[in-house]
Amino acid sequence: MRALIVGGGAREHAVGVTLARAGAEIIVASPHANPGLERIARASVRVDVDQAQRIADFGEREEIDYAVIGPEAALAAGTSDALRAAEIPVVGPSQAAARIESSKLYCRELLQRHAIGGQPVWRAPERIEQVEATLAEFSGPLVIKPSGLTAGKGVWVQGPDFTDARPGAAYAKSLLAQGQRVLIEEKLEGEEFSQMAFVTDSGVYPMPAVQDFKRALEGDKSGNTGGMGSYSQRDHLLPFLSAAQRDRSIEILSQAVAALRSEGLEFRGILYGGFMLTAKGPMLLEFNARFGDPEGVNAMTLYEDGNFDELLYGVACGRVDPTLIRFRSRATVLKYVVPPGYGDRPQPGGVVELDEAAIEADGVHVFYGSVEPAGPAAVRLGTSRGIALIGEASAIHEAGARVEAALAHVHGDFYVRHDIGTLEDLARRREHMRQLFVPGAKSSPLPLSVAAPGAPPSSAAPDEMRA
Ligand code: AMP
Ligand code: GLY
């Protein structure tokens, strides 16, 4: 079939490669020429992803069978609606249903209206004069976030981003003064994970759980970013996440889809729950209405070869054959090559030389993001995430080691988080969860979940947490 991919990041490059492998013809609508997508595209146009009507007109001209929308800005601008008005099936909800991502206030209110659990305590002061009194309602640490889209960067967490209440209040007031709605939430303690699912009229079909690394620097230091890398575990759980906890997060996704539907909003696309696993179980941080970037790349890498085209076309048309939902039992680790200073003050323009054939020969895949070609084996970094390297193996730390080995074929001035997918980092996360379950517990050497091949990979983790 002929598929239009909207967007030009590494996530969209991975969608293109996975679809092309299934025999699809690739058409691209993206603001910049992604070198990876350009290689496989039959046709491609430069257009901002919020130009809904232009994208729909291009899709019609190219006689596409369906469209897959990558970035949230395209969904928020109504690109799905413009395509559907031209009778083109779309993987991506309508602008109205995508408010579950584009308005955090809408999302919290929807879940509250339908009494869906797993939410932190939250408030949304409407006026600047209400900010102080609202803050005073919280006894513990807070999180302050604008209601609208912020590419993961507008959220202020008490502790890492601000200490006492005063700068927090000033931030909340400044958002209100700019005409934005603002949410003040109880700060949740735990480990974050992403649970994505294909959603159609016929059901909610989960993908493997993934952990994203949001903070810019190693050791989870510095500000939030779009995501510096991610990993997934062979059994589709995570070192700190049990099957029951994952099932609970999928239940919250299903309840949200049912809530939208009961308010007359159909959802055909990808629903992504960003959860905090707390001592009380999974709590919802946010929904996204699309594949995560990078988490979608982990899921697509694990997708069984062959049927992605049929699967996505089915999602777009509202009905999928459940036997098409098949993910391999392998661990994956993804690391993003980014410009120095990415997060706060990215320094674009650096040239990165890479030997793609040698990287692929090491079993690591390359997906391009914000880069432009700079010669036969080189790209120039932009201001955002440049090159995703993803490796797989039977254990997470082995997949991470593969990516580290592949980095020997990448040269230039860039930053990458070497700690993603290391045994030390995995142990730190499990210990973090253990401390929440047993306050004051002394740290002790833990059996690592990244078990030897043949052993059940995560059996130790949930038992450890319940201890
Ligand atoms: P969001 O865009 O709402 O997912 O927030 C971005 C990031 O801010 C999340 O991935 C978390 O790291 C952090 N965050 C958001 N809300 C909370 C919360 N209520 N408690 C703790 N951290 C949060
Ligand atoms: N990695 C987080 C996101 O896709 O929003």
Side-chain angles (χ1 to χ4, degrees), residues 1-307:
M1 270 176 288
R2 190 173 286 184
L4 171 70
I5 297 174
V6 179
R11 165 185 54 199
E12 288 77 19
H13 184 192
V15 172
V17 166
T18 316
L19 284 177
R21 209 186 295 134
E25 285 184 337
I26 306 300
I27 311 286
V28 177
S30 156
H32 75 278
N34 178 306
L37 279 170
E38 291 302 298
R39 239 185 257 160
I40 56 174
R42 191 178 176 282
S44 146
V45 69
R46 299 290 71 82
V47 57
D48 283 334
V49 297
D50 61 0
Q51 296 293 301
Q53 196 52 51
R54 283 186 56 202
I55 293 170
D57 292 345
F58 173 67
E60 267 198 294
R61 259 199 321 278
E62 293 297 327
E63 299 182 341
I64 57 168
D65 293 301
Y66 69 104
V68 186
I69 298 188
E72 58 274 27
L75 295 167
T79 306
S80 308
D81 309 78
L83 285 156
R84 287 199 178 101
E87 294 183 8
I88 297 169
V90 189
V91 178
S94 64
Q95 183 180 44
R99 277 184 301 163
I100 200 161
E101 168 168 11
S102 61
S103 166
K104 293 185 200 296
L105 181 58
Y106 170 81
C107 175
R108 290 280 182 226
E109 286 175 344
L110 176 81
L111 301 192
Q112 191 170 62
R113 265 199 304 282
H114 293 266
I116 297 173
Q119 288 206 78
V121 175
W122 64 273
R123 295 283 180 272
E126 284 177 50
R127 296 194 310 279
I128 290 174
E129 311 80 76
Q130 296 170 329
V131 167
E132 308 284 351
T134 308
L135 290 176
E137 287 184 50
F138 290 80
S139 51
L142 307 166
V143 175
I144 298 173
K145 44 174 106 170
S147 173
L149 296 175
T150 62
K153 292 167 196 146
V155 177
W156 274 33
V157 180
Q158 194 164 11
D161 302 316
F162 67 100
T163 42
D164 66 65
R166 221 169 316 146
Y171 181 52
K173 288 177 189 174
S174 73
L175 293 170
L176 287 165
Q178 291 161 30
Q180 302 194 54
R181 290 301 304 270
V182 56
L183 284 178
I184 299 177
E185 294 181 357
E186 157 199 15
K187 179 186 173 185
L188 299 168
E189 278 297 343
E191 283 292 325
E192 284 182 55
F193 68 98
S194 308
Q195 179 60 58
M196 296 175 286
F198 299 102
V199 177
T200 71
D201 314 7
S202 58
V204 171
Y205 305 97
M207 301 181 217
V210 182
Q211 188 170 39
D212 179 25
F213 285 63
K214 291 228 160 63
R215 297 266 162 189
L217 302 180
E218 287 183 8
D220 287 338
K221 302 276 178 353
S222 194
N224 270 325
T225 68
M228 296 294 294
S230 47
Y231 69 79
S232 70
Q233 184 168 281
R234 190 173 50 165
D235 58 0
H236 305 163
L237 303 174
L238 293 166
F240 52 84
L241 181 72
S242 71
Q245 290 160 336
R246 175 167 181 251
D247 287 349
R248 171 70 185 129
S249 71
I250 295 166
E251 183 181 43
I252 294 173
L253 295 185
S254 302
Q255 289 171 337
V257 172
L260 285 170
R261 186 166 298 142
S262 76
E263 298 198 2
L265 296 171
E266 207 51 74
F267 194 107
R268 293 179 180 175
I270 316 296
L271 185 61
Y272 159 139
F275 290 95
M276 184 76 83
L277 179 63
T278 69
K280 288 191 258 168
M283 306 279 275
L284 185 82
L285 296 173
E286 63 162 351
F287 278 125
N288 294 325
R290 51 173 175 82
F291 281 118
D293 186 353
E295 298 97 315
V297 183
N298 298 76
M300 285 183 269
T301 298
L302 290 172
Y303 185 69
E304 292 278 8
D305 274 352
N307 295 319

Side-chain angles (χ1 to χ4, degrees), residues 334-355:
L334 183 151
K335 301 192 188 208
Y336 253 121
V337 166
V338 302
Y342 173 67
D344 292 340
R345 254 171 265 116
Q347 295 151 37
V351 171
V352 174
E353 291 176 0
L354 73 170
D355 183 342

